[in-house]
Amino acid sequence: MTEEKCLETNVMKELVHGTPSLALALLESTPHKEPPLVASSFGGTGSLANPMNVVRVSSKSTVTHLYAQLLSLAAVLRHQIGYQLSIGSGSQHRQRGAYLDLVWSPLADLGALARGLRGLLTPPTTDIDKLLLERLRRKITPDPKVRTLWYGSFGDDGAAASTPMVWSSLPASRVLPPYRPLELGEDPVYFTRPLIEFTDLSNDRTVRLLHDGLLPRAWRSYLVSIWPRTCHFTLKFPLEELPIPVGADLSVRVTYLGKDLNVHGGDWEEIDRQAMPTRLVANGVEVHPWMDPPETTRSHEFGLPASAFKGRSELELCFQGKEVDKNTYRYVPIPVAELWILARGSDAVLGPFGSQNGASKL
């Protein structure tokens, strides 16, 4: 992960200097990963070779040979106690112990970065590649009239490091219920706060998306409500901790998880998770009306109404599922993968800060 992150940083530096072809060449010429495994579903073909066949490995110190040694150990465990660490050694699927089949799962964003770089050189033709190119352009050529007041990729604080300058360091633990850091050993209080869920890599299609660079790091975790009492959940932002420029228009950008990623695998795949219509409210004022679950994961931007800020010292963003009494692990409000609070205007970057209890145009 450290090597991947260093490579990603170097590629971005090369890109910022305006040479996408050299940045792509650096990325493609650096051996940053091993060939991914092909994992099959039940009874499929092309799964990992049976580790029982691994009887001898080279002593050469590489990631591949370390993996071979793990397979050799897995073969011993399979023979002695019936332990199944891979589909190839008899495990049903990755959710039931085939953890070795996840060894090659990318942790950084190199795959998505490579696709974005290729999009800079050759116009993309697919919707997902167009989205990845748009995300990359925001990173390397941020709009000088837009200030990112706050950004959150829920469940992965490190994802914010690759976002253009974020002006507020307000941690997500103070934004989400119970609006304080949880103590070690404390119950995660899922009855009173949304669940932070991670992409289910026991789903074969999701694994392929990840290896193909079609699943950005920031989309691999998200907020999702699984109990009726959390079907409406509120994020709180003290306005005094958001450096809002004078005269700026405020907006929110939300990445809603689409039907393409709001899925499970393994034993849970058959429940066929679905999302209900969802709306967003700011301090009691509607930001967007009821939205049906999108087909694909993407970011949406909405203006924050001026009336939502009048006489307020806090911004409360409430995500509301429409059918509270039907909210279960299977039927949820649209999951939230990312959230930006943005300020727009001619002085949005260099202008003075506004008052702390004004409107969306401060």
Side-chain angles (χ1 to χ4, degrees):
M1 176 64 174
T2 302
E3 293 180 358
E4 287 186 347
K5 191 61 184 175
C6 288
L7 177 57
E8 182 179 345
T9 301
N10 291 334
V11 170
M12 290 300 295
K13 286 180 180 178
E14 188 68 51
L15 187 57
V16 168
H17 288 101
T19 50
S21 58
L22 292 179
L24 182 59
L26 172 64
L27 180 60
E28 293 184 334
S29 64
T30 306
H32 58 275
K33 65 178 181 180
E34 302 286 342
L37 295 175
V38 177
S40 69
S41 54
F42 307 128
T45 59
S47 64
L48 176 65
N50 193 325
M52 289 292 287
N53 295 327
V54 181
V55 294
R56 186 175 302 168
V57 297
S58 168
S59 60
K60 185 178 179 181
S61 180
T62 68
V63 174
T64 302
H65 289 93
L66 173 61
Y67 180 65
Q69 289 178 318
L70 290 174
L71 286 182
S72 182
L73 176 60
V76 174
L77 292 172
R78 164 72 165 159
H79 176 71
Q80 293 185 349
I81 62 174
Y83 200 45
Q84 301 165 341
L85 283 171
S86 165
I87 293 173
S89 64
S91 180
Q92 229 179 10
H93 49 70
R94 291 176 296 282
Q95 201 180 72
R96 282 186 173 265
Y99 303 125
L100 280 182
D101 294 355
L102 296 174
V103 165
W104 302 117
S105 300
L107 297 178
D109 244 353
L110 295 175
L113 178 56
R115 297 189 79 102
L117 286 169
R118 295 187 188 102
L120 286 174
L121 300 172
T122 304
T125 56
T126 66
D127 289 341
I128 181 61
D129 281 317
K130 291 176 183 177
L131 285 175
L132 294 175
L133 175 58
E134 179 185 354
R135 291 175 64 86
L136 180 59
R137 280 179 169 156
R138 284 202 203 111
K139 292 180 181 181
I140 60 177
T141 56
D143 189 335
K145 295 183 179 181
V146 178
R147 170 183 282 174
T148 301
L149 303 181
W150 191 87
Y151 171 79
S153 172
F154 304 101
D156 185 1
D157 294 337
S162 58
T163 302
M165 182 175 181
V166 179
W167 288 77
S168 175
S169 58
L170 187 66
S173 60
R174 288 184 51 207
V175 169
L176 289 168
Y179 312 110
R180 59 171 175 78
L182 296 178
E183 298 177 0
L184 184 64
E186 183 178 4
D187 189 285
V189 291
Y190 294 149
F191 288 109
T192 57
R193 68 181 295 181
L195 174 68
I196 295 179
E197 192 171 77
F198 292 81
T199 302
D200 189 347
L201 293 185
S202 57
N203 182 285
D204 289 342
R205 179 180 175 276
T206 304
V207 169
R208 286 193 291 270
L209 291 175
L210 183 61
H211 282 294
D212 289 343
L214 296 173
L215 183 52
R217 177 178 171 183
W219 295 358
R220 298 174 203 168
S221 58
Y222 44 86
L223 296 175
V224 60
S225 299
I226 60 173
W227 304 103
R229 70 179 69 181
T230 61
C231 193
H232 293 187
F233 66 88
T234 301
L235 279 59
K236 295 183 178 181
F237 303 87
L239 291 181
E240 63 182 6
E241 297 191 45
L242 296 179
I244 303 172
V246 173
D249 293 306
L250 300 189
S251 62
V252 291
R253 184 187 297 142
V254 184
T255 300
Y256 281 123
L257 212 67
K259 297 178 182 178
D260 56 336
L261 297 182
N262 189 23
V263 295
H264 287 280
D267 293 336
W268 294 97
E269 190 166 1
E270 63 187 25
I271 71 172
D272 186 28
R273 173 181 272 184
Q274 298 179 16
M276 66 180 72
T278 303
R279 72 172 181 172
L280 176 60
V281 172
N283 290 344
V285 180
E286 187 175 80
V287 175
H288 73 70
W290 298 111
M291 175 189 293
D292 289 329
E295 291 294 327
T296 57
T297 302
R298 64 182 308 125
S299 301
H300 309 258
E301 191 165 331
F302 311 97
L304 290 174
S307 57
F309 291 84
K310 189 174 182 180
R312 303 296 293 261
S313 61
E314 198 169 47
L315 171 61
E316 297 186 0
L317 296 176
C318 183
F319 292 90
Q320 301 178 348
K322 192 172 187 178
E323 301 176 86
V324 176
D325 58 330
K326 296 182 180 180
N327 191 184
T328 62
Y329 188 74
R330 178 191 173 276
Y331 191 50
V332 299
I334 305 174
V336 178
E338 297 176 282
L339 177 73
W340 293 257
I341 301 178
L342 304 172
R344 296 179 180 274
S346 59
D347 57 355
V349 173
L350 301 177
F353 295 167
S355 61
Q356 296 166 11
N357 62 346
S360 68
K361 203 173 187 67
L362 297 178

